[in-house]
Amino acid sequence: RRRSKAAQRDAQRQAVLEQAMTPDALARLRRVKLVKKDRASAVEAMIANMAMQGKLDCKISEGKLIEMLEGIHGAQQKKAGGDAGKISIQRKKYNFDSDDEDDNDDDLL
């Protein structure tokens, strides 16, 4: 019974999203959901809430969806301290590394 209610809610949410978004935006959201499920779910909830409250004047285009996804990403970064999802590379320094201008490697021969 719980499964049927959850499935019913999901179907209702999908119907609302299909009405509130252009086909291109809906396709992009589905692709994003494959990689960033939490971000896509947050945007889905935002769009569904806006649609149910009557705050949408027109269908959400792909460009508007991208703006919303970037906004969610920015909010998540601020919440996580700014370094979430960031890759930093630190190279080790070795004793034989020289920082001087003479990098012709003649001294190694």
Side-chain angles (χ1 to χ4, degrees):
R1 193 170 194 174
R2 287 181 181 172
R3 288 182 192 165
S4 65
K5 284 187 177 185
Q8 198 174 26
R9 269 197 311 267
D10 287 343
Q12 185 179 15
R13 177 181 266 187
Q14 286 302 317
V16 168
L17 290 175
E18 287 174 9
Q19 290 175 358
M21 300 172 72
T22 63
D24 291 339
L26 197 57
R28 179 176 287 265
L29 184 61
R30 287 182 178 143
R31 288 191 305 269
V32 168
K33 195 170 190 173
L34 293 173
V35 182
K36 301 284 185 185
K37 190 169 181 80
D38 57 333
R39 198 177 303 170
S41 296
V43 171
E44 281 181 355
M46 186 187 309
I47 293 170
N49 288 337
M50 289 170 63
M52 287 184 210
Q53 293 172 3
K55 292 184 178 179
L56 292 178
D57 298 336
C58 57
K59 286 192 172 198
I60 293 178
S61 66
E62 191 172 4
K64 179 66 176 167
L65 176 66
I66 291 170
E67 288 177 21
M68 293 173 85
L69 287 166
E70 288 171 349
I72 293 279
H73 177 62
Q76 286 176 345
Q77 273 190 327
K78 285 181 185 176
K79 189 185 230 183
D83 288 339
K86 181 180 177 185
I87 298 172
S88 63
I89 298 172
Q90 296 178 346
R91 303 202 189 288
K92 291 183 179 179
K93 290 248 181 209
Y94 295 100
N95 289 337
F96 58 84
D97 282 349
S98 62
D99 289 336
D100 58 352
E101 299 288 325
D102 183 26
D103 282 340
N104 61 11
D105 294 334
D106 288 339
D107 53 336
L108 295 176
L109 297 176

